[in-house]
């Protein structure tokens, strides 16, 4: 059993497998989720459950948060029964949620006021890498805090890249998700253009994946495109949120505006809970 006692807040599609990986690595873990039903499978696997956030951090050395948006993360930190509502001097909180750089800097500031260590550590990768422990972890932290958390990151990911102080990792995450959006939009447009001109999507995807334009994401999304089925590995609505955050953080390049508009339209069409690759369905509908 590893000595650090861990807490985890947020048991969605990503949080659940990440907790299991830490549990399998020998860490004692206590979980808390607002929807308590989501704790059941992890409790069966050997985690403990906290009745509230204050109890969670009191009994843990390090607490992870993995939540859907800035407001949810702030509430977990700041509410009257939140992580910072008592004297937890010397504890460490690692936020792995994708939030704005401004929010990460704010969380760092309020944690400092409570003498709590804060690490900004969003991830690049979706459900399968979370299950396999092959996420790319982007870390904003002091050198000392990075070294403290590095053994935990080594369980959760294939690499942890220390990019600077808290807030910088959130900027890196928004940048890589912008590239993700461009990749998927471009892939969808290419396949639809090819189909319109007599090239089957199977042949076009083979051409892409066998050539220099193929990459990890084109290979991963190929079965979804062929089967016209888009179960969420990374929900489209979350990319809409991330692109909005990137715009708010100052991204004003020529492609961000039409890209954002395209994903917003897809969400309004009811595709928000489907995988990001469902953008191809929206573009196909638009073409019709």
């Amino acid at each position: 059993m590893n000595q650090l006692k861990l807490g985890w807040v947020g048991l969605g599609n990503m949080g659940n497998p990440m907790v299991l990986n830490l549990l399998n690595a020998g860490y004692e873990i206590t979980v808390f989720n607002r929807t308590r039903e989501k704790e059941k499978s992890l409790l069966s696997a050997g985690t403990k459950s906290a009745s509230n956030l204050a109890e969670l951090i009191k009994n843990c050395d390090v607490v992870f948060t993995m939540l859907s948006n800035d407001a949810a993360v702030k509430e977990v930190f700041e509410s009257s029964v939140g992580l910072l509502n008592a004297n937890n001097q010397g504890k460490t909180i690692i936020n792995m949620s994708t939030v704005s750089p401004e929010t990460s800097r704010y969380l760092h500031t309020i944690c400092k006021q409570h003498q709590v260590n804060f690490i900004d550590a969003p991830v690049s990768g979706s459900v399968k890498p979370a299950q396999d422990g092959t996420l790319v972890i982007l870390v904003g932290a002091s050198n000392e805090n990075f070294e403290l958390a590095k053994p935990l990151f080594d369980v959760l990911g294939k690499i942890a890249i220390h990019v600077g102080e808290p807030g910088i990792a959130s900027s890196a995450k928004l940048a890589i998700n912008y590239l993700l959006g461009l990749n998927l939009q471009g892939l969808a447009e290419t396949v639809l253009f090819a189909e319109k001109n007599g090239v089957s999507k199977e042949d076009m995807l083979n051409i892409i994946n066998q050539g220099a334009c193929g990459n990890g994401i084109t290979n991963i999304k190929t079965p979804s495109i062929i089967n016209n089925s888009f179960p969420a590995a990374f929900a489209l609505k979350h990319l809409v949120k991330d692109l909005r955050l990137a715009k708010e953080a100052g991204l004003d390049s020529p492609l961000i505006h039409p890209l954002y508009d395209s994903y917003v339209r897809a969400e309004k069409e009811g595709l928000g809970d489907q995988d990001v690759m469902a953008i191809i369905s929206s573009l196909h509908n638009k073409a019709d």
Side-chain angles (χ1 to χ4, degrees):
M1 180 71 69
N2 286 291
Q3 288 186 341
L4 279 179
K5 293 181 178 180
L6 308 181
W8 195 284
V9 184
L11 299 174
N13 290 340
M14 297 289 286
N16 214 295
M18 294 168 79
V19 170
L20 282 175
N21 285 336
L22 289 167
L23 194 65
N24 291 334
Y27 287 97
E28 180 182 321
I29 305 177
T30 303
V31 298
F32 177 84
N33 198 79
R34 188 169 54 183
T35 307
R36 306 313 289 259
E37 185 73 20
K38 291 185 177 181
E39 295 180 3
K40 284 188 174 179
S41 63
L42 290 172
L43 295 178
S44 299
T47 69
K48 300 176 181 179
S49 174
S51 59
N52 56 57
L53 293 165
E55 178 189 317
L56 180 78
I57 193 168
K58 179 182 177 181
N59 295 320
C60 296
D61 303 301
V62 178
V63 173
F64 291 85
T65 55
M66 189 61 149
L67 300 159
S68 59
N69 56 51
D70 294 53
V73 175
K74 285 181 177 178
E75 182 180 357
V76 161
F77 277 70
E78 293 188 292
S79 75
S80 59
V81 290
L83 296 175
L84 298 179
N85 79 326
N87 182 12
N88 292 302
Q89 184 177 340
K91 302 291 179 82
T92 298
I93 303 176
I94 303 175
N95 180 44
M96 305 196 83
S97 323
T98 300
V99 297
S100 71
E102 181 183 1
T103 291
S104 286
R105 290 190 290 268
Y106 172 71
L107 296 175
H108 177 48
T109 297
I110 62 173
C111 282
K112 208 169 184 180
Q113 291 168 356
H114 287 80
Q115 296 182 285
V116 171
N117 302 314
F118 176 74
I119 299 174
D120 173 24
V123 303
S124 179
S126 55
V127 174
K128 187 65 164 62
Q131 293 169 339
D132 296 342
T134 57
L135 294 163
V136 175
I137 303 173
L138 318 174
V139 187
S142 67
N143 291 332
E144 182 182 357
N145 287 339
F146 176 67
E147 291 304 320
L148 167 74
K150 182 69 164 54
L152 304 173
F153 294 149
D154 288 344
V155 173
L156 297 172
K158 64 181 178 181
I159 188 170
I161 303 172
H162 187 197
V163 296
E165 292 295 314
I168 297 177
S170 291
S171 296
K173 176 60 189 289
L174 296 181
I176 195 62
N177 275 15
Y178 172 52
L179 180 59
L180 172 67
L182 290 171
N183 262 277
L184 298 183
Q185 178 90 8
L187 178 61
E189 291 181 8
T190 297
V191 170
L192 291 173
F193 169 72
E195 275 196 299
K196 189 175 181 180
N197 288 277
V199 184
S200 72
K201 58 186 177 183
E202 291 83 359
D203 284 343
M204 193 64 233
L205 287 162
N206 196 24
I207 292 165
I208 292 167
N209 290 328
Q210 294 299 323
C213 290
N215 57 43
I217 199 66
T218 65
N219 278 279
I220 289 168
K221 299 305 181 186
T222 287
S224 290
I225 296 172
I226 290 174
N227 297 322
N228 195 34
S229 176
F230 307 102
F234 177 43
L236 187 144
K237 64 184 178 183
H238 294 320
L239 185 60
V240 172
K241 181 260 295 183
D242 294 348
L243 293 175
R244 175 180 56 78
L245 291 177
K247 282 165 59 88
E248 290 172 356
L251 181 57
D252 191 28
S253 60
L255 295 180
I256 180 59
H257 305 294
L259 182 72
Y260 177 67
D261 292 344
S262 181
Y263 280 95
V264 167
R265 182 172 57 250
E267 184 179 27
K268 288 179 178 177
E269 291 169 353
L271 300 173
D273 289 324
Q274 294 191 41
D275 188 68
V276 277
M277 197 63 246
I279 189 65
I280 195 169
S281 299
S282 176
L283 294 171
H284 184 270
N285 294 337
K286 185 184 176 186
D288 290 346

